[in-house]
Amino acid sequence: YLVQHSNRLSVLFALCIGLEETRDDGSKIPLMDLNESPFSLMKKKKDIKPSVDILREEVQRRSERDTVSNNKPKPKGWNATKCLDWLKANPITTDRDV
């Protein structure tokens, strides 16, 4: 999927939404955070921040992989916030999803 999108950082970021890293103290942090290094040091945040179209596409992609739920989202009219909320609540769980 990432290769199909020319390995764009914004697509990688969208794939990582909802994934967390566990620190040594047991606390959890987002795997990729635009406010943390090295991303906070980037001059052009638009190179990594996914557009609403990329977010909608990722919602659609993840929902198609979900064979359990019959209630599929329809993100065509969603704004970025709604997409982000859905992606955080429905993180990638298997290698097959990447």
Side-chain angles (χ1 to χ4, degrees):
Y1 179 76
L2 186 58
V3 173
Q4 292 171 353
H5 286 277
S6 303
N7 292 320
R8 290 191 350 226
L9 284 175
S10 58
V11 174
L12 176 62
F13 186 87
L15 286 169
C16 291
I17 295 171
L19 299 179
E20 297 179 324
E21 176 183 0
T22 304
R23 291 188 167 172
D24 293 336
D25 65 1
S27 63
K28 294 188 179 216
I29 58 168
L31 188 61
M32 292 179 77
D33 187 344
L34 290 177
N35 299 317
E36 297 292 328
S37 182
F39 309 111
S40 63
L41 303 174
M42 293 179 73
K43 293 190 189 277
K44 294 197 295 187
K45 297 275 194 283
K46 69 180 180 109
D47 289 343
I48 192 164
K49 185 176 179 183
S51 67
V52 70
D53 289 333
I54 290 173
L55 294 173
R56 288 175 184 155
E57 187 176 340
E58 180 60 10
V59 168
Q60 190 68 41
R61 191 186 74 80
R62 288 189 197 181
S63 68
E64 288 170 358
R65 300 255 186 227
D66 180 9
T67 57
V68 177
S69 176
N70 290 330
N71 190 14
K72 303 286 185 193
K74 295 180 174 98
K76 200 169 231 175
W78 290 9
N79 62 25
T81 302
K82 188 165 183 177
C83 289
L84 286 169
D85 290 344
W86 191 92
L87 291 169
K88 288 175 185 174
N90 298 277
I92 291 173
T93 56
T94 66
D95 293 345
R96 178 178 70 89
D97 292 338
V98 180

